[in-house]
Each structure stands twice: as structure tokens, then as C-alpha cells.
Amino acid sequence: MNWFSLSSTVNRGTYIAVGWSLAIVKYVIECVAVYVATGTWFSPTDFVNPWLNSKAPFLIDAPAAGLVWLAFTIPFVWIAIAMSVRRAADVGLSRWFGLLVLIPIVNLMLMLVLACLPTGWLRRTASESAEDEAHREELASAFRPTPAMIEVNENPIRAREAPVVAAMLMGTFTLVSVGAISVWLLQLYGFVLFFSAPVVAGAVSGFVYNRRQTQGSMALLGIIVLSNVLSYAIMLAVGIDGAICLAMAFPLLIPLSFLGGLVGRAVATAGIASGHDETRGMYGIMIALPLALSLESLDGPPPLHRVTTSVEIDAPPAVVWQQVIAFPEIEETPAWFFRLGIAAPVRAHIVGQGVGAVRQCEFTTGPFVEPITVWEPPHRLAFDVVSQPQPMKEWSPFPHLHPPHLDHGFVSRRGEFRLEALADGRTSLHGSTWYQIDVRPRLYWKAWADPTIHAIHRRVLDHIARCAESE
């Protein structure tokens, strides 16, 4: 049996057997990987947690592992979607019902329901009631082309353009509406916005584009890409978010949208074959997305991640220490990504000495205020972060755009410098930052955050090395 297929149906026994088998295989692989990498126990409770974010605490020091974990998980998500869509059809429900597997918490209840209902529970037969027949005729009449439409469709170019434009607009509407509600109303950057919505938006585009006739995959991919670009352009134009955040989301949203497009095409193809119009199911899943945003608050608090960067300096620890507690302005040209708007360190100064002194590290967007918590010259300096500037300056037509993620999407909690004396009179300097990220799925956004923090560390540590060695 093809687990990834979207055609035909899946009976109850197969759905249960495949679901349990793959869940056990996935859990064993993840449990072993976590134990080998971290020495910690990945419990069954952690595994069944419906939020991908629940895996983030096990990847505190491994940003690349988060992307590997996400890539490993997506095929299983696809199987869950494919099997649930086909199982819903076997039960007699709309195939769109299976896409509820994308909504955390709801997905667990959905799979339980699909595992219990027998084949044909709601299947329509030739003995449908007169009321159903009348309703189906009403739907057929609503979608039957008028003489004016027939006259327009006689133009072959317009006939080809109409489903393309409709597919793009419907997918764009889905993404933009969910984005506006999530960001403007709820101030959330959650799983539904960055994972569920792209799949559903792609499915909507795929369904609308293929509702009359099955089209090719490459044409569908082109529509998906254009729909996402149009969505981002609208979000940027109306001030939902800035260009940097949208660009960072693009690599995640495009493949998810295309997977959704394949689902939508399969739903449309099945509808053509069976004679049933699945349009109402499409509208149902579109309405479910904004409602699913209310579940985001049930996700746990963001874990504390750590990033450590090291450099060896040709100077003794006592000299390096003086540059660690305060360093002059960094005159080197920032890297290209800093010039795009990412906050870059500029200088640092300190008021007082010992525990309780306040260090300020100036960035291009403002100062980090860092009261000292550990003062052990010339070996260790640690501090909390009680105030921080914006992590970036967003590109936007609106000069004072302030999306919510600038306040709570990335929060630095504390930092530390450790100095180790080497045998040859040199110093090994280690800089660490502990931070929280509240943009989901965190496995994806952590892969952006960690390299950025490493780059900030390198800019500071290399500057400290130059200053210390020059003395």
C-alpha cells in the first residue's frame, strides 16, 4: 500500500495499523536520537504532544538538529494528512475533513474519530433523500455557467486564465486573512500561522485550479509560488509585517503550500470522478483556521536556549578581561545581513565594578542593559539582561512599523564571558547568550536565531581579540 498516495480510500483497520506502526517507529528513532545526543529521556508524553515546539527543549545546543528533526517529521505529517484525507472519504465525510490533522489538539481527536467510524458511515448512495437531491441540484445550478459566462469562455485564453486567477486569489486570501487575525488581533506568531495555514492555503489553490479539470504539477507549483509572493506583498503593503520576517518565512511556507496544493488537487480530482462538489468542505476548513488560532495559548512557554562562541586570543587573561567588561567602538564594516537591518553590536561600557555594576552593550538598534551577577576577574563575567532593543529594523513602507515579534519574538535573558588561560600565555575566550524565541515552529526559527547570535558573538569576540592583542 502507498502511504503517500492521495487517491482511493483507507479502511479502518489499515488506518489503525499504519498509524500505530509508524508512530512506534518514529518514537523509537527519536527516543534513541535524543538519548545519544543529549543523554536525556524522550518520554511518550513528549512524543504525543501535538505541538512541534515540544521538541525544542531537547535541542537547546543544536540548531542544525532542529532542521533535521523538522525535515524528518514532515514525511510523517504528509502520511498523516494523506491517510486521514482518504480515511475521511472512506467514512463518507468530505476529504477536507482530513486536513483537520494540521490543527494541534484537534488532530488527536480527529484521528481517534477516524479510527472508530466504520466504512460508509455517511456515504451517499443511490437512495439519497429527495431533500439531498434537491440540494445537489441547487448546487449544480449555482455552478452552472450562464450564457454570458459561456460566451466569455469561448475565448480559450480567458478560459485558461480564469482558474489560475481564482486559485491565486483564494490561496492569497487564506494566507492574508489568517496572518491579519493572528498578528493584528491576537499578536501571535504560532504553529497555525506558519505551518497549518500554508498547507490549507495551498490546498485551496490546488482545489480551485483543478476543480473542473486536473492540471499538471509544475503549473500548480507556479500558482503556489505566485500566490505566496502576492500574499507577502499584500502583508507588506498593509503593514501586517516587514520584509525581513516574511523573507525568512518563505523557505518554510513554499514547500508546505505545495504539499497542500497536491492535496487540493487530489480532492478536486476525486470530486470530478464521483460527481460530488467539495466546495463546501473547502470553505469549512478555511473557517476552521482562524478558530484554531485560539488553541495557540495552550502551547507551553518557550524554553531557554544557549549559544556559545569561542575565540583564542594572543594576550593573557588579565589584558583580555579589561576589554571584556568594556570595549571601544567597533569600526569594522558590519556583515551584509547586519546592513539589511539585523541589530549589530557597536560598543560596550560599564558603570561601577563587581556584582551590581551595570554594563551596557550598544547595538545599532539601541542598548542592552546588563546588570552584573558574577564578577570573577580575570576568569568569568556573567550578567542578566533587563532591557533590550529591537532585534532588527524591519523593511516596510511604514516608517514606524512595529510588529509584535520585535517585542517578544526573540528575548535575550542573560549572558556570560569565560576566560581560560592557555599554557603559552594566550587566552581562550568563550561568550554565551541564553535566549527565548516565541515564534513557531521554534525548530525552524531557532535555526535562524542561532547563526545570527553566533555572528553577533564573532563580531564582539574578534574585536576584543584585536584590542587585547594590540596592547
Side-chain angles (χ1 to χ4, degrees), residues 141-166:
S141 300
F143 288 101
R144 189 175 295 127
T146 65
M149 293 171 62
I150 294 174
E151 182 179 350
V152 171
N153 287 340
E154 287 176 355
N155 184 326
I157 297 179
R158 292 187 178 181
R160 290 194 300 269
E161 290 176 348
V164 172
V165 173

Side-chain angles (χ1 to χ4, degrees), residues 278-342:
E278 293 274 11
T279 305
R280 286 191 300 174
M282 179 190 73
Y283 289 132
I285 194 67
M286 290 174 66
I287 294 172
L289 272 183
L291 299 177
L293 291 171
S294 62
L295 299 174
E296 297 280 4
S297 61
L298 300 178
D299 189 12
L304 196 64
H305 299 284
R306 182 185 66 204
V307 175
T308 299
T309 309
S310 302
V311 65
E312 291 189 359
I313 303 174
D314 191 12
V319 174
V320 176
W321 173 265
Q322 297 302 319
Q323 300 299 328
V324 165
I325 60 176
F327 54 82
E329 185 159 348
I330 303 175
E331 298 179 351
E332 284 70 27
T333 302
W336 63 269
F337 45 87
F338 290 128
R339 297 196 297 272
L340 288 178
I342 304 297

